[in-house]
């Protein structure tokens, strides 16, 4: 079956739904990273999914083409003064309530149809935060450019784990411009 080019059903989930959506998150991730399944950092994804979804401020959107999950975006509200961007931006903006976007992925079969932007906007559109922050692997300049086209700006770089890539720290004012 050919993927739907325009219509996906976007469903919202919270911390309370974590156990119910866990396997969906793992399955989409496995498909999205099938070419890197042997990478030890990629193999730790279940821990990351559990870590993020255990946060009371966890928010997730999953897109469906019929009954098939095509991708998702999730993150959590940042604890004040513990945001990723703080060490890279001084002084901090006056309005600094931040939502950390942890994951945005679309399964290969549904890529290049605008679904990642739709999922991203659905996730952030339900928020009342001042800022959104996310990390982008610096070896993926096209992904960084995509986020810049959505209103993000690079404010620094960080490597959160010894075995993780170096990431661009990206920040956007909310609400995102159209």
């Amino acid at each position: 079956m050919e993927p739907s080019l325009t219509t996906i059903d976007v469903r919202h989930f919270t911390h309370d739904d974590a156990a119910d959506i866990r396997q969906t998150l793992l399955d989409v991730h496995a498909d999205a990273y099938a070419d890197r399944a042997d990478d030890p950092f990629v193999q730790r994804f279940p821990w990351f999914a559990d870590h993020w979804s255990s946060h009371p401020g966890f928010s997730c959107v999953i897109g469906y083409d019929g009954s098939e999950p095509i991708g998702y975006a999730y993150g959590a509200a940042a604890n004040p003064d513990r945001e990723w961007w703080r060490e890279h931006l001084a002084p901090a903006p006056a309005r600094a309530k931040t939502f950390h976007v942890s994951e945005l992925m679309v399964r290969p079969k549904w890529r290049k149809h605008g679904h990642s932007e739709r999922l991203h906007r659905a996730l952030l559109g339900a928020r009342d935060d001042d800022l959104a922050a996310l990390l982008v692997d610096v070896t993926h300049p096209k992904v960084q450019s995509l986020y810049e086209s959505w209103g993000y700006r690079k404010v620094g770089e960080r490597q959160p784990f010894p075995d993780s890539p170096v990431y661009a720290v990206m920040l956007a004012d909310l609400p995102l411009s159209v």
Side-chain angles (χ1 to χ4, degrees), residues 21-131:
I21 64 171
R22 184 179 191 272
Q23 192 59 51
T24 299
L25 299 179
L26 298 180
D27 292 346
V28 170
H29 181 269
D31 189 22
Y33 284 92
D35 62 334
R36 294 180 45 206
D38 293 337
D39 181 326
F41 189 71
V42 170
Q43 291 173 352
R44 288 190 6 227
F45 179 74
W47 179 88
F48 287 105
D50 293 341
H51 170 76
W52 281 94
S53 64
S54 71
H55 191 290
F58 174 76
S59 182
C60 177
V61 294
I62 301 174
Y64 290 87
D65 184 357
S67 62
E68 194 164 3
I70 63 105
Y72 56 78
Y74 73 70
N79 292 324
D81 299 321
R82 302 233 11 238
E83 300 90 350
W84 295 328
W85 54 264
R86 267 206 198 263
E87 66 189 75
H88 304 286
L89 194 62
R95 296 176 57 236
K97 184 177 172 191
T98 305
F99 183 79
H100 284 159
V101 178
S102 175
E103 295 288 341
L104 171 61
M105 64 183 62
V106 174
R107 294 171 61 197
K109 180 177 168 181
W110 285 271
R111 291 182 184 155
K112 300 188 188 281
H113 296 294
H115 297 313
S116 61
E117 183 174 11
R118 180 156 182 226
L119 291 169
H120 180 260
R121 287 186 180 276
L123 177 67
L124 295 179
R127 307 287 315 165
D128 67 352
D129 304 278
D130 303 315
L131 303 167

Side-chain angles (χ1 to χ4, degrees), residues 11 14 32 47 73 93 98 132 153 170:
R11 301 176 197 164
T14 68
W47 179 88
T98 305
R153 65 192 179 281
M170 307 208 51

